[in-house]
Amino acid sequence: MGGAVDGGRGRGRLLSGAAVAVGCVLFLGGFVLAALLYQPYTVPTGSMAPAVAAGDRVLAQRVDGDDVRRGDVVVFRDETWGDIPMLKRVVGVGGDEVACCDAEGRLRINGEPVTEPYVHSRHGASATGFDVTVPDGELFVLGDDRMDSLDSRSHITETQTGTVPRETVEARVEATVWPLGRLGGLPSPGGFADLPGGISEPGPLRLLCWAMGGGAVLIFAGAAYGPLARRASRTGHRRRADAAGGAQ
Protein backbone atom coordinates (compact mmCIF):
# COMPACT_ATOMS: atom_id res chain seq x y z
CA MET A 1 0.00 0.00 0.00
CA GLY A 2 2.77 2.42 1.02
CA GLY A 3 4.78 1.56 -2.10
CA ALA A 4 1.83 2.32 -4.36
CA VAL A 5 1.30 5.66 -2.63
CA ASP A 6 5.00 6.52 -2.89
CA GLY A 7 4.93 5.53 -6.56
CA GLY A 8 1.94 7.76 -7.19
CA ARG A 9 3.67 10.66 -5.47
CA GLY A 10 6.78 10.09 -7.55
CA ARG A 11 4.82 10.14 -10.78
CA GLY A 12 2.99 13.25 -9.61
CA ARG A 13 6.27 15.04 -8.87
CA LEU A 14 7.62 13.97 -12.27
CA LEU A 15 4.53 15.26 -14.08
CA SER A 16 4.50 18.53 -12.13
CA GLY A 17 8.18 19.08 -12.93
CA ALA A 18 7.52 18.40 -16.61
CA ALA A 19 4.57 20.79 -16.59
CA VAL A 20 6.72 23.56 -15.09
CA ALA A 21 9.51 22.91 -17.60
CA VAL A 22 7.18 22.96 -20.62
CA GLY A 23 5.40 26.00 -19.22
CA CYS A 24 8.69 27.87 -18.87
CA VAL A 25 9.64 27.05 -22.46
CA LEU A 26 6.27 28.25 -23.78
CA PHE A 27 6.10 31.37 -21.65
CA LEU A 28 9.70 32.52 -22.06
CA GLY A 29 9.84 31.48 -25.71
CA GLY A 30 6.65 33.37 -26.50
CA PHE A 31 7.85 36.42 -24.59
CA VAL A 32 11.24 36.50 -26.30
CA LEU A 33 9.75 36.05 -29.77
CA ALA A 34 7.17 38.75 -29.11
CA ALA A 35 9.93 41.13 -27.99
CA LEU A 36 11.91 40.37 -31.15
CA LEU A 37 9.01 40.60 -33.59
CA TYR A 38 6.94 43.43 -32.09
CA GLN A 39 7.52 47.01 -31.03
CA PRO A 40 5.22 48.97 -28.66
CA TYR A 41 4.15 52.49 -29.60
CA THR A 42 2.08 55.13 -27.83
CA VAL A 43 -0.34 56.87 -30.20
CA PRO A 44 0.06 60.65 -29.88
CA THR A 45 -3.04 61.85 -31.78
CA GLY A 46 -6.58 60.80 -32.66
CA SER A 47 -6.01 60.81 -36.43
CA MET A 48 -6.56 57.03 -36.57
CA ALA A 49 -9.76 57.01 -34.48
CA PRO A 50 -11.85 55.06 -33.88
CA ALA A 51 -9.61 52.04 -34.64
CA VAL A 52 -6.75 53.58 -32.65
CA ALA A 53 -7.35 56.46 -30.23
CA ALA A 54 -5.00 59.08 -28.83
CA GLY A 55 -3.08 57.65 -25.89
CA ASP A 56 -3.57 54.02 -26.92
CA ARG A 57 -0.63 51.66 -26.53
CA VAL A 58 -0.28 49.48 -29.60
CA LEU A 59 1.92 46.57 -30.69
CA ALA A 60 3.33 46.75 -34.19
CA GLN A 61 5.06 43.92 -35.99
CA ARG A 62 8.47 44.83 -37.35
CA VAL A 63 8.21 44.43 -41.12
CA ASP A 64 10.10 45.45 -44.22
CA GLY A 65 8.48 48.19 -46.27
CA ASP A 66 8.31 45.83 -49.25
CA ASP A 67 5.89 43.62 -47.28
CA VAL A 68 3.32 46.37 -46.78
CA ARG A 69 -0.05 46.06 -48.55
CA ARG A 70 -3.11 48.22 -48.95
CA GLY A 71 -5.15 48.51 -45.77
CA ASP A 72 -2.19 48.10 -43.41
CA VAL A 73 -1.85 50.56 -40.53
CA VAL A 74 1.85 51.32 -40.52
CA VAL A 75 4.35 53.18 -38.39
CA PHE A 76 6.77 55.22 -40.50
CA ARG A 77 9.30 57.96 -40.03
CA ASP A 78 9.98 60.49 -42.78
CA GLU A 79 11.91 63.76 -42.62
CA THR A 80 9.31 65.69 -44.59
CA TRP A 81 6.65 64.64 -42.07
CA GLY A 82 8.67 65.83 -39.05
CA ASP A 83 10.98 62.81 -38.62
CA ILE A 84 8.83 61.35 -35.82
CA PRO A 85 6.93 58.04 -35.75
CA MET A 86 3.61 58.44 -37.58
CA LEU A 87 0.64 56.02 -37.72
CA LYS A 88 -1.43 56.00 -40.90
CA ARG A 89 -3.31 53.55 -43.11
CA VAL A 90 -1.87 52.59 -46.49
CA VAL A 91 -4.51 53.06 -49.20
CA GLY A 92 -2.32 53.11 -52.30
CA VAL A 93 0.91 51.43 -53.42
CA GLY A 94 3.24 52.07 -56.33
CA GLY A 95 1.38 52.38 -59.63
CA ASP A 96 -2.06 52.91 -58.07
CA GLU A 97 -4.33 55.76 -59.06
CA VAL A 98 -5.90 56.93 -55.81
CA ALA A 99 -8.89 59.24 -56.19
CA CYS A 100 -11.75 60.57 -54.10
CA CYS A 101 -14.55 60.43 -54.10
CA ASP A 102 -17.18 58.51 -56.05
CA ALA A 103 -20.90 59.36 -55.93
CA GLU A 104 -21.24 57.44 -52.65
CA GLY A 105 -18.29 59.15 -51.00
CA ARG A 106 -15.95 56.17 -51.37
CA LEU A 107 -12.26 56.06 -52.15
CA ARG A 108 -11.40 54.74 -55.61
CA ILE A 109 -8.29 52.67 -56.30
CA ASN A 110 -7.60 52.27 -60.02
CA GLY A 111 -11.24 53.11 -60.63
CA GLU A 112 -12.56 50.52 -58.14
CA PRO A 113 -14.56 51.82 -55.15
CA VAL A 114 -13.34 50.70 -51.73
CA THR A 115 -15.61 50.33 -48.69
CA GLU A 116 -13.92 51.51 -45.48
CA PRO A 117 -16.18 50.86 -42.45
CA TYR A 118 -13.45 51.99 -40.05
CA VAL A 119 -13.42 55.56 -41.44
CA HIS A 120 -14.56 58.11 -38.85
CA SER A 121 -16.15 60.86 -40.93
CA ARG A 122 -19.65 61.83 -41.96
CA HIS A 123 -18.09 63.21 -45.13
CA GLY A 124 -17.09 59.77 -46.41
CA ALA A 125 -13.55 58.93 -47.48
CA SER A 126 -12.49 62.58 -47.65
CA ALA A 127 -14.02 66.03 -47.43
CA THR A 128 -11.64 67.21 -50.15
CA GLY A 129 -11.18 65.66 -53.57
CA PHE A 130 -7.88 64.45 -54.97
CA ASP A 131 -6.55 62.26 -57.77
CA VAL A 132 -2.93 61.10 -57.71
CA THR A 133 -0.85 58.29 -59.15
CA VAL A 134 1.47 56.71 -56.59
CA PRO A 135 5.10 56.51 -57.77
CA ASP A 136 6.86 53.13 -57.67
CA GLY A 137 8.33 52.34 -54.26
CA GLU A 138 5.99 54.81 -52.55
CA LEU A 139 2.86 54.60 -50.37
CA PHE A 140 -0.18 56.86 -50.19
CA VAL A 141 -1.37 57.00 -46.56
CA LEU A 142 -4.46 58.40 -44.83
CA GLY A 143 -5.73 58.63 -41.26
CA ASP A 144 -9.04 56.97 -40.41
CA ASP A 145 -10.43 60.20 -38.98
CA ARG A 146 -10.38 61.97 -42.33
CA MET A 147 -11.55 65.27 -40.79
CA ASP A 148 -8.72 65.35 -38.24
CA SER A 149 -5.71 63.85 -39.97
CA LEU A 150 -2.66 65.42 -41.56
CA ASP A 151 -1.75 62.76 -44.11
CA SER A 152 -0.81 62.34 -47.77
CA ARG A 153 -3.56 64.76 -48.78
CA SER A 154 -1.83 67.52 -46.85
CA HIS A 155 1.43 66.95 -48.73
CA ILE A 156 0.01 67.02 -52.27
CA THR A 157 1.46 69.85 -54.34
CA GLU A 158 1.82 70.56 -58.04
CA THR A 159 5.02 68.51 -58.04
CA GLN A 160 4.48 66.12 -55.11
CA THR A 161 2.01 63.27 -54.69
CA GLY A 162 2.10 63.34 -50.88
CA THR A 163 3.45 59.79 -50.71
CA VAL A 164 6.11 58.29 -48.43
CA PRO A 165 8.87 55.87 -49.45
CA ARG A 166 8.38 52.22 -48.52
CA GLU A 167 11.74 52.18 -46.76
CA THR A 168 10.45 54.66 -44.17
CA VAL A 169 8.08 52.00 -42.76
CA GLU A 170 9.20 50.60 -39.40
CA ALA A 171 6.31 48.35 -38.43
CA ARG A 172 2.71 47.30 -39.07
CA VAL A 173 0.22 47.85 -36.23
CA GLU A 174 -1.61 44.67 -35.23
CA ALA A 175 -3.35 45.28 -31.90
CA THR A 176 -4.18 47.72 -29.14
CA VAL A 177 -2.94 46.49 -25.76
CA TRP A 178 -3.74 49.44 -23.49
CA PRO A 179 -6.07 50.58 -22.04
CA LEU A 180 -7.59 47.18 -21.28
CA GLY A 181 -11.03 48.38 -22.34
CA ARG A 182 -9.68 48.72 -25.91
CA LEU A 183 -7.63 45.51 -25.91
CA GLY A 184 -7.86 43.69 -29.25
CA GLY A 185 -6.87 43.55 -32.87
CA LEU A 186 -7.57 46.21 -35.47
CA PRO A 187 -10.60 45.85 -37.76
CA SER A 188 -9.92 44.01 -41.01
CA PRO A 189 -9.39 46.25 -44.07
CA GLY A 190 -11.49 43.84 -46.13
CA GLY A 191 -12.44 46.49 -48.68
CA PHE A 192 -8.98 46.13 -50.24
CA ALA A 193 -9.03 42.32 -50.34
CA ASP A 194 -10.23 42.04 -53.94
CA LEU A 195 -7.55 44.36 -55.31
CA PRO A 196 -4.35 42.86 -56.79
CA GLY A 197 -2.06 41.68 -53.99
CA GLY A 198 -4.90 41.36 -51.48
CA ILE A 199 -4.36 42.29 -47.84
CA SER A 200 -1.79 41.25 -45.25
CA GLU A 201 -2.27 38.13 -43.14
CA PRO A 202 -2.28 38.64 -39.35
CA GLY A 203 1.08 38.23 -37.68
CA PRO A 204 1.90 35.62 -35.00
CA LEU A 205 0.83 37.81 -32.07
CA ARG A 206 -2.26 35.78 -31.17
CA LEU A 207 -0.29 32.51 -31.29
CA LEU A 208 2.42 33.99 -29.09
CA CYS A 209 -0.19 35.19 -26.57
CA TRP A 210 -1.70 31.70 -26.43
CA ALA A 211 1.79 30.24 -25.89
CA MET A 212 2.53 32.63 -23.03
CA GLY A 213 -0.90 32.13 -21.47
CA GLY A 214 -0.68 28.35 -21.73
CA GLY A 215 2.84 28.42 -20.35
CA ALA A 216 1.74 30.47 -17.34
CA VAL A 217 -1.09 28.02 -16.61
CA LEU A 218 1.30 25.04 -16.75
CA ILE A 219 3.82 26.78 -14.49
CA PHE A 220 1.21 27.59 -11.83
CA ALA A 221 -0.41 24.16 -12.10
CA GLY A 222 2.93 22.35 -11.77
CA ALA A 223 4.07 24.57 -8.89
CA ALA A 224 0.78 24.05 -7.07
CA TYR A 225 1.09 20.24 -7.14
CA GLY A 226 3.55 20.02 -4.23
CA PRO A 227 1.54 22.02 -1.67
CA LEU A 228 -1.71 20.34 -2.73
CA ALA A 229 -0.16 16.88 -2.50
CA ARG A 230 1.26 17.59 0.96
CA ARG A 231 -2.09 18.91 2.16
CA ALA A 232 -3.85 15.84 0.78
CA SER A 233 -1.26 13.60 2.49
CA ARG A 234 -1.73 15.29 5.87
CA THR A 235 -5.51 15.05 5.52
CA GLY A 236 -5.20 11.35 4.69
CA HIS A 237 -2.97 10.72 7.71
CA ARG A 238 -5.41 12.46 10.03
CA ARG A 239 -8.34 10.44 8.70
CA ARG A 240 -6.46 7.19 9.10
CA ALA A 241 -5.41 8.15 12.63
CA ASP A 242 -9.00 9.07 13.52
CA ALA A 243 -10.23 5.80 12.06
CA ALA A 244 -7.64 3.83 14.05
CA GLY A 245 -8.61 5.66 17.26
CA GLY A 246 -12.26 4.94 16.68
CA ALA A 247 -11.57 1.27 16.09
CA GLN A 248 -9.84 1.01 19.49
Side-chain angles (χ1 to χ4, degrees):
M1 181 70 175
V5 172
D6 291 341
R9 291 174 182 169
R11 285 191 296 272
R13 286 193 293 269
L14 181 62
L15 289 174
S16 69
V20 171
V22 172
C24 287
V25 170
L26 288 173
F27 183 82
L28 294 177
F31 182 83
V32 170
L33 283 175
L36 291 174
L37 295 177
Y38 288 87
Q39 173 74 34
Y41 292 91
T42 299
V43 182
T45 71
S47 68
M48 285 299 299
V52 183
D56 281 359
R57 190 77 167 172
V58 300
L59 281 182
Q61 184 183 7
R62 295 182 174 94
V63 297
D64 189 271
D66 291 336
D67 297 327
V68 172
R69 300 182 183 181
R70 303 179 195 88
D72 289 344
V73 176
V74 298
V75 181
F76 65 93
R77 188 191 298 264
D78 186 73
E79 290 184 0
T80 60
W81 292 57
D83 200 26
I84 58 175
M86 305 283 290
L87 271 76
K88 302 294 177 186
R89 188 180 298 276
V90 176
V91 299
V93 298
D96 282 346
E97 180 190 8
V98 183
C100 196
C101 298
D102 70 0
E104 298 180 24
R106 295 174 298 182
L107 196 69
R108 288 186 290 113
I109 308 295
N110 303 321
E112 296 295 325
V114 175
T115 301
E116 299 180 280
Y118 44 76
V119 169
H120 185 53
S121 173
R122 66 179 185 275
H123 297 286
S126 178
T128 58
F130 57 88
D131 190 337
V132 300
T133 298
V134 182
D136 289 340
E138 302 273 314
L139 303 169
F140 194 87
V141 297
L142 297 176
D144 285 357
D145 188 348
R146 303 284 160 85
M147 293 296 292
D148 188 27
S149 175
L150 296 177
D151 45 41
S152 285
R153 297 170 299 173
S154 308
H155 292 264
I156 296 175
T157 66
E158 291 184 358
T159 59
Q160 302 293 325
T161 56
T163 54
V164 295
R166 279 184 177 269
E167 59 263 27
T168 63
V169 172
E170 299 178 354
R172 177 172 55 225
V173 178
E174 188 164 334
T176 300
V177 295
W178 188 262
L180 292 179
R182 292 179 53 78
L183 178 67
L186 300 192
S188 172
F192 296 93
D194 292 334
L195 296 175
I199 59 177
S200 297
E201 293 293 329
L205 181 60
R206 179 170 295 184
L207 179 61
L208 294 175
C209 289
W210 276 107
M212 288 187 285
V217 169
L218 286 174
I219 291 170
F220 284 117
Y225 170 79
L228 291 176
R230 287 191 293 272
R231 179 178 295 179
S233 178
R234 288 194 296 268
T235 300
H237 283 312
R238 284 196 299 268
R239 287 177 177 174
R240 286 193 293 271
D242 290 344
Q248 293 174 2

